[in-house]
Amino acid sequence: MRITYYGHSCFLVDTGSHKLLFDPFITPNELASNIEISSVEADFILLSHGHEDHIADVMKVYENTKATVISTYEVVGYFQKQGVENAQPMNHGGSWQFDFGKVKMVSAIHSSSFPDGSYAGNPAGFVVQTEKDTFYYAGDTALTMDMKLIAEQFKIDFAFMPIGDNFTMDIHDAVKAAEFVNTEKIIGMHYDTFPYIKIDHEQAKNIAANGKKDLTLMQIGESITI
């Protein structure tokens, strides 16, 4: 499984047969200015909630790829009004079998509204099961006891977790969240993009290591294989 980081909370997960793009926020992100949006490929676009720093480039990617948009009922409806034809609306606790595997929508503790301030439903996370790996994309969230339920249902190989603090969990809570979902591998997200969420990378890695967790902080544009 190959993972490419496009900054903030945007990752492309290549399962080998399908490309899953999470929360595309690229063109407005000054830190991702080296990424050409027209080069971003996707078969599916998974959106955790309606905030602009998670949906800004959905239509740009969709127009290039016609990828299927997966999100809450409200977020899918928002993009269907903009011309998206390929979509799968979901809601918390529900799951759906796709060509690449199975997706279960899980809860996230945050807020959610569209750039115009209108209601965007509740924020969410995803547990994605493929033939080789099962991973957790937490979305923007606080630490919550609900995460323990994920470990009861799934064997999580790795997890994308926010670590920037202020708007979401910090690294201390992300380590605890990794304990809750029973995984050793954390891929950090939602950090450094804005002044409010800048972090000390070495300190974060040390905190994770002290908690016996493997924290990966990817460079924008970098790809890794898991």
Side-chain angles (χ1 to χ4, degrees), residues 9 85 103 111 175 194:
S9 298
E85 296 179 354
V103 173
S111 58
V175 168
F194 315 114

Side-chain angles (χ1 to χ4, degrees), residues 121-139:
N122 291 318
F126 301 100
V127 175
V128 180
Q129 294 175 281
T130 70
E131 289 185 359
K132 293 184 178 180
D133 295 290
T134 297
F135 65 90
Y136 171 43
Y137 181 88

